[in-house]
Amino acid sequence: MIRNPILPGFNPDPSICRVGDDYYIATSTFEWYPGVQIHHSRDLVNWKLVRRPLERASQLDMRGNPDSCGIWAPCLSYADGQFWLVYTDVKRFDGNFKDAHNYIVTSPTIEGEWSEPVYVNSSGFDPSLFHDEDGRKWFINMQWNHRTESYGGSPKSPAFDGILLQEWDPQAKALKGPIRNIFAGSPLGLVEGPHLFKRNGWYYLTTAEGGTGYDHAVTMARSRTIEGPYELHPNRHLITSKDHPEAVLQRAGHGQYVETPDGQVYHTHLCGRPLPPKRRCTLGRETALQKCVWREDGWLYLENGTTVPEVEVPGLGGATRAEKPVRSEYAFDGGTLPADFQWLRTPQPERIFNLTDRPGHLRLIGRESIGSWFEQALVARRQEHHSFRAETVVEFDPDTYQQVAGLTHYYNRHKFHAVVVTLHEKLGRCVTIFSCDGDYPNGRMTFPAGPGVAIPAGGRVQLSMEIRDNDLQFFWQTEGKGAWQPIGPVLDAGVVSDEGGRGEHGSFTGAFAGVFAFDTSGRAKTADFDWFSYEEL
């Protein structure tokens, strides 16, 4: 059985591609570097992260990109003996504009080096590339209309001004021919996330609608010609939970169709799993997969006969889900950052961390403050469970309160909690808490543990946090001396979510657990982390 979500934690906007018996899913990474996550499977049940292809400054530089900008909705396809990856780099979020630039990169293999990007257009985000049976290629994306009161936290339907279609010339590496607006969307509105495929002489278009919150949906339409007009699915929506608040998988929308070699059909979609009582999705938008069927009317339907996605659906050949380790330990011994980890925005990671100055340790180089949009030393992995414990040990000897290093539960500059080692003018070296519990737009921190607890100068300090659904408790201990000591009150972990703080549509990435350091004195103080662990509770 396939158990959803197949990609837990922050893995939204899934684009699926099959090559032979191999399946690949590309998901959005927003401001996290390197860009785009690609997972691989041969049974649709077990998935492994195999590549993040946007890894060079020439491909992607997100320094200065606001929170929830960067890589939106990639589209992965295979044609002409190579993989094609289409992606958007969004440079603005608030206000009337998005400044969304679309690019194409290619590679003969998923694991290999990907090409330099080719710029396509900037008319809107969520681009997709369709390879037609006659060899022609078509580029589609939503069109953004800035002439409305469409602000980040309150999207207005008129800003989502239909789906544009234009032919792509791979030889000239440019668009050509007329630009056509082929689909205005359904009455639900907010049409985006287009994907085209062809079957039995019909062009099928799936789009995401309703915004990426609780009204989200996969809408389907079809036409005998690629230019349209497109007629809506009898149900309008192929997948949605918008009228079913009791469904486990909420916020269902934005996905892509795929066929197996033996003709079985599936459709990916993003989803969220809210926690009571505030219905906050602390794991962000995750990837799920639904079994579908074609009916005699030539339309695709969920196999369960409804539009509501299920947690368990039939897989291929009796495949079962491999058990994952309850506890993941990272020793930083390999000379390269473990695959689970990413950092923020910069294509120059050597300025914020390395694993060579002190072998066996992750050395963070203190740069700008936590929450900076330019250069902050924060290295983290996705939260994949509603309840977990993370631990680390740090060697850090600050000589000013402007030098800070620690462990964080992080979403963006407005939503994070952190237990830190720093310097206090009366306490000396100390452990304390920094917290920003959704204060938008100011990002003001609070200090739930006050000035903190004095600790001896020098030596290693262990830091940990336990998150149980909506509650977070920090702990610390001087390594080898005593037991874990709680510090500060129980904090609101649920604010570190899409819905936290600013609320639905105000941001849409996911929660991370990781380590960070900053030095706002400009002296680049370093902090050495020997190991990191993440354990499901």
Side-chain angles (χ1 to χ4, degrees):
M1 295 290 287
I2 295 170
R3 182 166 182 81
N4 288 309
I6 54 172
L7 303 181
F10 165 46
N11 277 290
D13 312 323
S15 171
I16 190 166
C17 169
R18 179 179 68 83
V19 182
D21 293 325
D22 295 291
Y23 299 87
Y24 300 94
I25 290 180
T27 56
S28 301
T29 43
F30 290 79
E31 63 263 36
W32 291 89
Y33 210 96
V36 180
Q37 294 219 121
I38 300 178
H39 284 79
H40 169 258
S41 176
R42 292 181 67 89
D43 59 16
L44 297 179
V45 175
N46 298 287
W47 295 85
K48 179 182 179 182
L49 177 66
V50 291
R51 195 73 167 92
R52 294 191 186 104
L54 304 180
E55 58 187 351
R56 307 188 298 275
S58 59
Q59 294 173 317
L60 183 64
D61 188 345
M62 297 185 290
R63 287 173 290 190
N65 284 21
D67 293 327
S68 287
C69 288
I71 300 300
W72 287 17
C75 174
L76 182 67
S77 59
Y78 185 84
D80 310 323
Q82 64 180 356
F83 290 93
W84 303 69
L85 181 67
V86 184
Y87 63 96
T88 307
D89 181 7
V90 179
K91 295 297 186 183
R92 179 172 174 175
F93 183 69
D94 285 330
N96 289 65
F97 298 95
K98 286 292 178 282
D99 295 323
H101 309 306
N102 296 318
Y103 302 89
I104 296 175
V105 292
T106 59
S107 174
T109 65
I110 289 289
E111 295 83 0
E113 185 173 291
W114 288 68
S115 70
E116 289 298 291
V118 176
Y119 171 75
V120 183
N121 67 18
S122 300
S123 54
F125 46 83
D126 290 6
S128 182
L129 188 64
F130 170 62
H131 310 271
D132 209 343
E133 295 169 345
D134 60 5
R136 299 172 76 182
K137 301 183 186 301
W138 299 91
F139 194 88
I140 53 176
N141 60 270
M142 65 80 68
Q143 178 170 235
W144 182 260
N145 187 344
H146 61 270
R147 301 173 301 171
T148 64
E149 294 180 359
S150 186
Y151 300 103
S154 301
K156 307 292 184 182
S157 291
F160 293 72
D161 197 17
I163 302 301
L164 300 185
L165 172 79
Q166 192 175 10
E167 189 171 359
W168 174 254
D169 186 334
Q171 281 70 47
K173 296 184 177 181
L175 294 168
K176 66 179 182 180
I179 303 171
R180 297 181 174 91
N181 194 322
I182 62 170
F183 186 62
S186 81
L188 184 59
L190 302 172
V191 62
E192 56 186 333
H195 290 288
L196 274 169
F197 66 95
K198 193 174 184 180
R199 183 179 185 271
N200 293 343
W202 288 99
Y203 290 93
Y204 290 89
L205 175 67
T206 57
T207 64
E209 287 195 301
T212 196
Y214 287 92
D215 287 333
H216 210 22
V218 174
T219 299
M220 192 173 213
R222 72 180 182 183
S223 171
R224 283 296 186 185
T225 64
I226 197 168
E227 299 90 354
Y230 282 81
E231 62 174 311
L232 282 169
H233 191 286
N235 295 335
R236 287 187 182 170
H237 310 302
L238 174 64
I239 303 171
T240 185
S241 300
K242 67 184 182 64
D243 300 318
H244 294 270
E246 77 287 353
V248 174
L249 304 179
Q250 291 291 314
R251 303 172 66 185
H254 199 134
Q256 191 173 17
Y257 173 85
V258 69
E259 291 187 8
T260 68
D262 62 356
Q264 297 184 68
V265 291
Y266 291 85
H267 204 287
T268 62
H269 65 93
L270 66 80
C271 64
R273 292 179 288 166
L275 287 173
K278 297 183 178 181
R279 299 193 84 208
R280 296 178 297 191
C281 296
T282 57
L283 302 182
R285 298 177 303 156
E286 307 171 284
T287 284
L289 185 64
Q290 299 299 320
K291 184 72 179 294
C292 300
V293 294
W294 289 103
R295 294 187 184 169
E296 291 182 358
D297 60 2
W299 287 103
L300 190 68
Y301 296 84
L302 291 188
E303 189 181 56
N304 66 19
T306 76
T307 63
V308 182
E310 294 187 321
V311 172
E312 290 191 344
V313 298
L316 301 179
T320 58
R321 192 167 183 169
E323 291 297 323
K324 293 186 176 181
V326 173
R327 180 181 174 92
S328 298
E329 298 185 355
Y330 309 93
F332 304 124
D333 289 333
T336 59
L337 194 66
D340 288 343
F341 288 82
Q342 287 181 276
W343 62 94
L344 287 162
R345 296 183 175 85
T346 179
Q348 295 183 311
E350 68 277 5
R351 284 187 49 82
I352 61 171
F353 72 85
N354 68 66
L355 296 101
T356 55
D357 284 356
R358 189 177 177 191
H361 294 75
L362 172 63
R363 170 162 289 181
L364 297 187
I365 306 165
R367 299 293 183 185
E368 294 172 344
S369 60
I370 187 170
S372 167
W373 287 348
F374 291 86
E375 190 176 57
Q376 62 163 311
L378 190 156
V379 173
R381 56 149 291 164
R382 282 160 177 73
Q383 178 183 345
E384 295 182 359
H385 306 89
H386 287 123
S387 297
F388 73 96
R389 178 181 175 91
E391 300 179 12
T392 192
V393 62
V394 61
E395 292 183 53
F396 183 64
D397 292 304
D399 50 50
T400 170
Y401 63 83
Q402 292 182 308
Q403 297 168 345
V404 175
L407 174 71
T408 183
H409 187 218
Y410 186 87
Y411 186 101
N412 63 21
R413 65 163 56 185
H414 307 115
K415 296 183 279 193
F416 66 85
H417 302 296
V419 59
V420 306
V421 176
T422 186
L423 193 75
H424 186 270
E425 54 270 28
K426 294 182 179 178
L427 296 177
R429 196 169 77 134
C430 64
V431 174
T432 190
I433 296 174
F434 290 175
S435 182
C436 187
D437 57 359
D439 182 51
Y440 178 85
N442 295 315
R444 288 170 293 202
M445 289 200 308
T446 61
F447 305 91
V453 178
I455 59 175
R460 290 153 57 106
V461 181
Q462 288 184 243
L463 306 171
S464 67
M465 58 183 174
E466 286 188 3
I467 291 176
R468 299 179 185 273
D469 294 336
N470 291 303
D471 297 332
L472 182 156
Q473 178 68 64
F474 284 121
F475 301 86
W476 72 279
Q477 68 176 3
T478 302
E479 189 177 48
K481 297 179 180 179
W484 286 104
Q485 300 294 319
I487 181 170
V490 173
L491 302 174
D492 182 6
V495 79
V496 184
S497 67
D498 291 354
E499 297 83 3
R502 189 177 179 182
E504 186 181 76
H505 295 124
S507 55
F508 29 75
T509 56
F512 283 71
V515 295
F516 75 101
F518 67 77
D519 185 350
T520 55
S521 75
R523 288 178 278 157
K525 184 74 172 181
T526 61
D528 291 340
F529 294 85
D530 192 356
W531 48 262
F532 183 93
S533 69
Y534 175 98
E535 180 179 8
E536 179 185 2
L537 295 178

